[in-house]
Amino acid sequence: MRDRYDNPLSTTSPDARDHYVEAVDRLLAGQPGITTAFSRAVEADPGFALGYAGLARGYQFEGNMKMAKSAMDQARQVGQTGDDREASHLNAFGLLINGKAAEAYVAIRAHVDAYPRDALVAQTCSSVFGLIGFSGQPGREAEILAYTAALLPHYGEDWWCLSQYAFALCENGAQHKASAVIDQSLALNPRNANGAHVRSHIYYESGETDLGIAYLDDWLKPYDRAGYLHGHLSWHSALWSLEQGEVETMWQRIDADVQPGVAQGLPINVLTDTASILYRAELAGVDVPKERWKAVSDYALQFFPNATLGFIDIHSALAHAMAGNVEAVARLIEAPNATTGDLVTPVAQAYAAIARQSWAEAVDLLVSAMGDHARLGGSRAQRDLLEFSLLGALLKLGKDEEAKHLLALRRPALVGMRSVHGLRAH
Ligand SMILES: [Fe+2]
């Protein structure tokens, strides 16, 4: 038995193999039913250790870590019956599921060097929301590009690998090439949500608002709300509605698909997407009721009571500051996360300053974080929150020319857009 990438599988059950292949494809394409398909694989062959490991990873995508650890325990109990790849795969996922990210990263890189076509393992490092993306290290955008480029020769005409390579190209500024590669990927699998996501980022990075929202809204219509990218793609759509001045459409999208209580994605997406769109709306000149900030701040406290990843922490700080929860901002500053706390601290202080309308202080603090905010993780589009927060604060100080020059210097493709109220006229 072999999977779709021709890796040998230790099961002798064709049903188990078929369900496993389907489950992996659903995970790689952001389609729902991942844990259902992995469950069917292990029901068809209760001795299929990789099926349980995949199930664990599926639960992780659903944010259900208790079930993920339980499935990983079952994988270990079933035991290693396959080859060296399976043993290495189980070891790497065991570390990952049990929260040992640093050790998992070392094991996964060694595994991918030896077995580059083990896509389920390779996937953990391939996007901005992966082990490299959240490493907090300088140069991580280039590292993802190098990583995905090195995978390419092993995959050839494969929709998943091409979509990951295209995203890395996009995030490193190679939009033209990224566009050609994602077209190739989407032609092979138009319903890959990761592919639609990359296509959306390329439109965003090119300032193509009308084309982007037309494409994305059409793509989203048949997309199951349980797909793990549904909420985040809805954030992209809401952001474009805001840019178009369609504020009512933006609120409808937020209320139906993005905010806590409606989005089915992981808490990291629900928190960061909601906090981000609320402040992007404020920057664009839209009034945001304080109750909305309060709801996001409460959600952040519920799921992330302590400092965690820098990308999460800056959005928590923003939500707490805007909700008037000064103590929660202070906690993120007093006990910052180990890898990007040096960047989270000035950003958190900046949002506290913005909430007090201390614009000059906010500018100084944000400027100190601008040198390499990619270390915080997330995409360029997501970190435009920081770029535009700085521009908004400069405008409050009447420093219009400085804001205009900064935008042209740092985000030239977005010059002329309406992302920051008052900037476009200058
Ligand atoms: Fe995105």
Side-chain angles (χ1 to χ4, degrees):
M1 294 290 165
R2 289 178 179 270
D3 69 15
R4 190 168 65 77
Y5 291 106
D6 214 28
N7 299 297
L9 297 174
S10 55
T11 185
T12 54
S13 159
D15 279 353
R17 187 268 318 271
D18 291 349
H19 290 307
Y20 182 84
V21 167
E22 184 198 337
V24 171
D25 278 353
R26 285 181 177 277
L27 190 150
L28 297 179
Q31 290 294 337
I34 299 165
T35 49
T36 304
F38 277 124
S39 295
R40 285 179 181 148
V42 294
E43 279 161 24
D45 178 0
F48 185 18
L50 277 200
Y52 286 110
L55 182 59
R57 187 81 178 117
Y59 280 127
Q60 194 174 28
F61 266 82
E62 293 177 357
N64 190 341
M65 290 315 296
K66 194 171 166 217
M67 291 295 282
K69 284 175 184 168
S70 167
M72 209 58 229
D73 286 346
Q74 281 180 285
R76 266 188 292 269
Q77 281 164 22
V78 164
Q80 158 60 26
T81 53
D83 58 12
D84 290 346
R85 178 189 73 91
E86 287 201 1
S88 169
H89 180 121
L90 291 171
N91 173 57
F93 273 10
L95 293 166
L96 185 68
I97 299 295
N98 285 291
K100 296 178 179 170
E103 290 162 86
Y105 175 68
V106 173
I108 285 168
R109 291 302 297 260
H111 181 92
V112 174
D113 280 346
Y115 313 103
R117 283 178 65 81
D118 197 344
L120 203 56
V121 178
Q123 185 274 342
T124 61
C125 289
S126 64
S127 84
V128 296
F129 268 38
L131 290 171
I132 299 173
F134 284 138
S135 66
Q137 296 300 309
R140 63 97 186 161
E141 287 174 307
E143 191 180 348
I144 298 176
L145 180 57
Y147 175 82
T148 52
L151 289 178
L152 266 193
H154 300 284
Y155 283 80
E157 295 273 308
D158 176 71
W159 53 263
W160 171 75
C161 192
L162 288 167
S163 72
Q164 302 304 285
Y165 178 52
F167 202 2
L169 287 167
C170 172
E171 291 299 296
N172 281 273
Q175 305 310 332
H176 192 69
K177 193 170 177 186
S179 188
V181 174
I182 203 58
D183 282 350
Q184 198 185 352
S185 167
L186 284 165
L188 293 164
N189 182 0
R191 296 311 299 171
N192 170 17
N194 286 297
H197 183 215
V198 176
R199 170 40 76 205
S200 300
H201 271 274
I202 296 167
Y203 281 134
Y204 180 96
E205 291 296 328
S206 310
E208 294 279 13
T209 301
D210 294 345
L211 277 176
I213 196 166
Y215 165 79
L216 183 57
D217 283 358
D218 189 50
W219 196 93
L220 272 169
K221 274 179 200 142
Y223 186 40
D224 195 312
R225 291 179 53 78
Y228 62 74
L229 274 172
H230 189 278
H232 181 63
L233 289 174
S234 300
W235 171 83
H236 277 273
S237 174
L239 201 53
W240 276 326
S241 291
L242 175 67
E243 177 61 32
Q244 287 180 323
E246 300 289 343
V247 175
E248 200 51 44
T249 309
M250 176 199 73
W251 285 126
Q252 284 168 8
R253 191 57 102 169
I254 293 169
D255 290 344
D257 299 316
V258 179
Q259 67 181 353
V262 296
Q264 295 181 31
L266 286 169
I268 181 176
N269 288 116
V270 178
L271 166 65
T272 60
D273 288 338
T274 310
S276 169
I277 190 68
L278 292 186
Y279 199 60
R280 293 284 300 260
E282 288 206 6
L283 286 165
V286 176
D287 282 333
V288 176
K290 196 159 183 179
E291 305 82 67
R292 284 188 180 268
W293 281 117
K294 180 86 172 55
V296 189
S297 172
D298 289 348
Y299 184 86
L301 284 177
Q302 182 188 346
F303 285 93
F304 307 106
N306 301 309
T308 169
L309 296 172
F311 186 68
I312 294 173
D313 294 345
I314 59 165
H315 289 85
S316 295
L318 167 62
H320 296 325
M322 302 311 280
N325 191 345
V326 179
E327 299 79 26
V329 181
R331 276 201 297 278
L332 288 170
I333 294 166
E334 283 158 14
N337 81 74
T339 49
T340 55
D342 60 314
L343 283 173
V344 170
T345 295
V347 172
Q349 288 169 334
Y351 284 124
I354 284 170
R356 294 193 304 271
Q357 304 199 349
S358 298
W359 305 111
E361 187 187 347
V363 165
D364 285 347
L365 288 160
L366 284 169
V367 164
S368 75
M370 285 294 150
D372 188 11
H373 61 50
R375 283 180 49 225
L376 286 164
S379 65
R380 286 181 171 208
Q382 287 172 313
R383 282 177 286 105
D384 274 346
L385 175 71
L386 298 174
E387 299 285 342
F388 293 146
S389 294
L390 174 57
L391 301 186
L394 284 168
L395 291 182
K396 293 283 187 186
L397 292 169
K399 297 187 175 182
D400 297 30
E401 279 299 300
E402 194 175 334
K404 187 177 141 193
H405 287 153
L406 264 185
L407 179 63
L409 178 70
R410 293 181 62 90
R411 300 295 274 144
L414 306 183
V415 169
M417 295 183 71
R418 290 185 285 196
S419 306
V420 185
H421 181 68
L423 190 58
R424 199 186 191 201
H426 298 281

